[in-house]
Amino acid sequence: MNSVFEIKWNKKWNSTRILLWVFASLVSVLTSNSYIYYFVFALQVALLFRQSKGISLDSVYLLLYSCLLPNNYIPIVFALISGFILLRSGKINRKYALLFFSIMSGFVLSAVLNAVPIVNICFAVLYLMPSLILMINYKNAWNEQYSEAVSPLIDEIFIILTCSTIINLFGKIIGIQRAIPGDDWSTGTFGDGQGNPLFMIIAIIFLARFELIIKKPLKYVWFIIAAVFMLLASHSYALLLAFILAVGIGIIKTYGIKKSLKIFSPFLIVFILFIHFRHFDLVIINALSNKDYLFGLFPKLRVILAAFAKIPGTSIIHFLFGVGPGEFSSRAAATCTGLYINSYNLFFAPSVGKWMSEYVYERIYQGFLDSGGNGGSILSLPYSSAATVIGEYGIWGVVSYFFIFKNFVKGKSKSAGIIVVFFIVACFLDNWLEYIKVVTFLTACLCICNTDSEASQSHLTINKKA
């Protein structure tokens, strides 16, 4: 086994890690303080160095566990470390090297041709490059040995998130405000306002096991119950629709349309009743019959239409390379407004491009004013990776991501294809390509699915004795 993965997956340490993080969740909710998570993670890092005698660093282990922290920037550091270590650990495939070079060339051309300010470029690199490096390098270096080492970690993290979700929800019920003010019911260990990332990660872990669940659903009944509980507890209805769509496609591909309708009928009836009792049916009717109501309900639709219809038609440069990194609807562009991250204004002046100003800025400002309310929901905020890719990077960006995801779905794994369908639909709803926690689990689960062997697939079951 490669020296990067010399950790011994001792059952005692598995249990200890889980208990430490669950205890940290309890302390965090009861004390309204999240510092305990950082202490537990630092302890893991120290024990890792002690166990490996400072020679071998299990970068994937640290990356996955750093994603549990209520911080979105520490995982970026570990993603870069992990990506480069994997790059050094295996032979560089010429295909992946050319793909990365072409993506970087398009990024540079987009920035230069659009004369993008340096601060926008820097934040685009900060948010987007770690994800690209991770996806390309993991796919380049991954093998069954990596799957055997990483799959138990994903099991552990699933158990931790299940327990922390219960604790968060309990805190919310008894009125501890640390247990998620606002719209989210529970966010696991991720911190306030992070219900959507929790949904994404749990959905990806669930879909990675889709083939196993379809074959023997009773064997995974507790896993299914825990996953569905967390998906509902995150209170993310828009993402739930994307998840149902992906699962539906998977079931239809497995059983055919006729049998799938029989399977889905009870769930469809429950879903229709749920929509009716929540008065969502009236919302849907109004949205379909009134254009102004539709755009008022779904403000990001204006951003998506601008990206797909308005921007490409303004010039050949915008069609091929977009309006430039950090100049439209990306997380980088939002950061450069000075509204997305408060500390930005301590170091930089706001840098707002024409397209951001015209189509996106107002909705970010409204979301800032109504953070935790309806104006700050995923449907109201103007973020969309689909709009970002074509808006900021043009056809070059679309083609680049097409080849990245194509490499993940070339194998026989149905689960990998379903994950990609879910993720692409979800990318119309938020900037997930720039969210390293989600991309980390997306990449790891896709790589595990694509090892395409019975041995590696068997490791995707929950380790009940952990």
Side-chain angles (χ1 to χ4, degrees):
M1 187 173 288
N2 191 284
S3 61
V4 177
F5 294 99
E6 287 180 351
I7 295 300
K8 294 180 180 178
W9 303 112
N10 185 288
K11 292 181 180 179
K12 178 182 177 181
W13 282 112
N14 288 347
S15 300
T16 302
R17 283 195 293 265
I18 292 169
L19 289 173
L20 278 172
W21 281 93
V22 171
F23 176 74
S25 296
L26 182 61
V27 172
S28 178
V29 169
L30 293 177
T31 63
S32 299
N33 192 312
S34 61
Y35 291 119
I36 183 69
Y37 289 125
Y38 298 94
F39 173 78
V40 171
F41 181 70
L43 182 62
Q44 280 184 278
V45 175
L47 290 173
L48 177 64
F49 276 108
R50 181 182 176 185
Q51 185 177 353
S52 60
K53 300 180 181 180
I55 298 172
S56 172
L57 173 66
D58 190 334
S59 60
V60 182
Y61 165 84
L62 292 177
L63 172 59
L64 286 168
Y65 265 96
S66 73
C67 290
L68 286 176
L69 295 172
N71 181 290
N72 294 329
Y73 300 96
I74 291 175
I76 291 177
V77 176
F78 286 100
L80 291 172
I81 294 172
S82 177
F84 285 120
I85 286 179
L86 260 71
L87 182 65
R88 291 179 59 191
S89 67
K91 184 178 179 181
I92 301 174
N93 188 304
R94 184 182 176 187
K95 177 179 68 174
Y96 295 116
L98 287 173
L99 178 59
F100 187 73
F101 177 76
S102 67
I103 291 172
M104 290 302 300
S105 298
F107 182 91
V108 171
L109 281 170
S110 180
V112 172
L113 292 174
N114 289 288
V116 178
I118 189 67
V119 67
N120 297 69
I121 295 173
C122 288
F123 276 98
V125 170
L126 174 67
Y127 291 133
L128 197 58
M129 284 303 113
S131 295
L132 289 171
I133 290 170
L134 204 66
M135 285 191 284
I136 294 174
N137 285 356
Y138 268 44
K139 183 60 180 172
N140 175 68
W142 203 272
N143 56 42
E144 287 187 18
Q145 289 181 325
Y146 293 127
S147 292
E148 291 171 6
V150 173
S151 294
L153 290 180
I154 294 178
D155 291 347
E156 286 183 37
I157 288 171
F158 181 89
I159 294 169
I160 290 168
L161 289 175
T162 301
C163 296
S164 61
T165 297
I166 294 170
I167 292 169
N168 269 219
L169 199 57
F170 174 75
K172 179 90 170 180
I173 291 170
I174 65 175
I176 300 175
Q177 290 305 304
R178 169 67 181 82
I180 322 307
D183 197 44
D184 294 321
W185 292 350
S186 184
T187 64
T189 66
F190 298 153
D192 297 341
Q194 299 295 300
N196 292 329
L198 173 66
F199 186 104
M200 290 293 293
I201 289 171
I202 296 304
I204 289 167
I205 294 173
F206 179 90
L207 293 175
R209 294 154 171 83
F210 182 80
E211 290 178 82
L212 298 173
I213 292 169
I214 286 293
K215 290 177 182 177
K216 297 180 180 179
L218 293 179
K219 183 179 179 181
Y220 302 99
V221 63
W222 289 110
F223 170 71
I224 295 170
I225 290 171
V228 171
F229 166 73
M230 282 187 278
L231 295 179
L232 294 176
S234 68
H235 205 219
S236 303
Y237 293 137
L239 290 174
L240 182 61
L241 289 175
F243 176 78
I244 291 171
L245 175 63
V247 171
I249 290 172
I251 291 176
I252 290 171
K253 286 185 69 176
T254 303
Y255 295 111
I257 295 177
K258 198 170 182 180
K259 191 172 181 180
S260 297
L261 286 175
K262 292 180 181 179
I263 297 171
F264 260 116
S265 293
F267 300 101
L268 188 61
I269 293 170
V270 172
F271 184 67
I272 291 171
L273 290 174
F274 172 78
I275 287 177
H276 175 71
F277 286 119
R278 290 300 301 266
H279 304 295
F280 290 155
D281 50 350
L282 297 176
V283 172
I284 293 170
I285 292 169
N286 289 331
L288 293 175
S289 60
N290 188 323
K291 181 181 176 181
D292 292 333
Y293 184 85
L294 175 64
F295 278 84
L297 176 70
F298 196 27
K300 74 168 80 251
L301 186 59
R302 185 168 177 261
V303 177
I304 293 170
L305 289 175
F308 281 81
K310 184 76 174 176
I311 291 175
T314 54
S315 73
I316 188 64
I317 290 176
H318 289 165
F319 175 76
L320 292 176
F321 301 107
V323 299
E327 287 286 276
F328 183 51
S329 64
S330 63
R331 193 176 173 195
T335 300
C336 291
T337 63
L339 297 174
Y340 189 74
I341 300 174
N342 293 332
S343 58
Y344 172 91
N345 298 300
L346 298 175
F347 305 97
F348 309 102
S351 177
V352 182
K354 169 192 169 184
W355 295 95
M356 156 62 78
S357 179
E358 185 173 349
Y359 289 96
V360 184
Y361 184 86
E362 182 182 350
R363 286 310 317 167
I364 293 178
Y365 184 68
Q366 290 299 321
F368 173 77
L369 293 178
D370 194 23
S371 179
N374 291 330
S377 71
I378 191 173
L379 289 176
S380 296
L381 291 172
Y383 310 130
S384 167
S385 281
T388 293
V389 170
I390 196 167
E392 295 191 4
Y393 304 101
I395 293 299
W396 192 278
V398 174
V399 172
S400 297
Y401 277 105
F402 170 79
F403 280 107
I404 288 174
F405 287 117
K406 182 184 176 184
N407 288 326
F408 282 112
V409 297
K410 283 196 306 184
K412 298 178 182 179
S413 172
K414 293 179 182 177
S415 296
I418 296 167
I419 292 171
V420 170
V421 169
F422 165 71
F423 185 75
I424 290 174
V425 174
C427 278
F428 279 86
L429 300 173
D430 213 331
N431 280 326
W432 297 118
L433 285 171
E434 297 172 279
Y435 204 95
I436 195 64
K437 289 183 180 181
V438 172
V439 172
T440 294
F441 283 88
L442 171 75
T443 306
C445 287
L446 284 174
C447 286
I448 291 170
C449 290
N450 277 304
T451 50
D452 202 28
S453 70
E454 203 60 40
S456 63
Q457 286 291 307
S458 68
H459 282 283
L460 280 168
T461 57
I462 291 296
N463 187 354
K464 296 178 181 178
K465 296 182 180 180

